[in-house]
Amino acid sequence: MADEQRNTTHYKLVTCESARGPRAGAVFHDAVFDLAELTGKPSYATMLGVLDDWAKAEPLIEAAVANRGSGGTPGSPLAKVRLLAPVLYPPTIFCAGANYSDHMAEMARVFNLQPEPDPHKAGLTSWHFIKASRTVVQTDARIPLPARTRMLDWEAELAAVIGRAAKNVPVERAIDYVAGYTVANDLSARDFTVRPSVPETSPFRYDWISQKSFDGACPVGPWIVPAKQIPDPQRLGIKLWVNDVLKQDSHTSKMIFSLAEQIAQLSTRLTLYPGDLILTGTPAGVGLARKEFLKSGDVVRVWVEQVGELSTRLT
């Protein structure tokens, strides 16, 4: 694995604003290259076009980027390019619930509950909810506070981008279906978790759309790091700051269900498609546990080791 990592051409996949509309690109040595032009494949003008053909696209991009290292037409300076969300727009966004051991312990303390046993020992599997695709926004986006909420919370997450259709995938092969990784913030309106005036005993009490799928609820970016460049997604640091104050500081090794387990479980229920995002859960340090929530003017930064940093401003 070490030799494979050394021999990998390191680049990142982006979607950029351009005069021709959103365009897929590759970042290499702080320059951005248009992927359709770089590879000679017109269908690679969009990130979904790239991901739909990932098995062929990946070696083509690697070879083209490697050739750029030896000269050729320079790309556009990264600092002068406006990055959009790397996938516009994901077919489906799956979000893992309650998937970090430190977060589970934190929530048990908040609600004065006994810590739950290891879900594996209880015979449970990972569980997910879905965010609306159009809630995705790019790094450095300015997001208006949802109307009426007073409890907007942050959730730092590692996100996996699916690179080929996956159905009934075994755990040991699940990572083979990942094209790459990006950073996400699963913004949550905590005061919309339940519907007002609906009894606690009602099965119709919970309001997932209002809590999780308001406009701007899913900042993602700034890019996709190909999976080949990250040997183990369960060995990454993850942090979040609000106005430069550290709030979340954890590690993906604290996931209860690994990414491979999540992919395997989801693929037993439905087919995963290229461009689908899997947000893998958030660690301890959320606002709900601190009785702190986001307000207009706050800047949230999420960092995942080997992947990058995502920034969002609330307005």
Side-chain angles (χ1 to χ4, degrees), residues 125-182:
T125 56
S126 61
W127 63 278
H128 297 75
F129 57 90
I130 291 176
K131 278 199 176 220
S133 176
R134 292 281 172 168
T135 65
V136 164
V137 293
Q138 71 276 8
T139 192
D140 296 326
R142 300 173 71 88
I143 301 173
L145 286 168
R148 302 182 303 281
T149 185
R150 297 178 182 272
M151 298 173 65
L152 184 64
D153 207 345
W154 56 82
E155 294 189 24
E157 309 221 5
L158 169 69
V161 185
I162 296 298
R164 60 189 176 109
K167 179 65 177 176
N168 293 324
V169 173
V171 171
E172 58 270 18
R173 291 183 49 226
I175 299 301
D176 295 342
Y177 291 79
V178 177
Y181 302 97
T182 187

Side-chain angles (χ1 to χ4, degrees), residues 68-114:
R68 287 293 175 178
S70 59
T73 304
S76 302
L78 176 59
K80 295 185 177 181
V81 173
R82 182 171 183 261
L83 299 182
L84 304 175
V87 182
L88 289 175
Y89 286 96
T92 310
I93 305 169
F94 301 94
C95 304
N99 195 46
Y100 272 74
S101 57
D102 55 357
H103 183 47
M104 290 284 284
E106 172 183 62
M107 289 296 98
R109 291 192 298 270
V110 169
F111 293 102
N112 195 27
L113 301 172
Q114 289 294 320

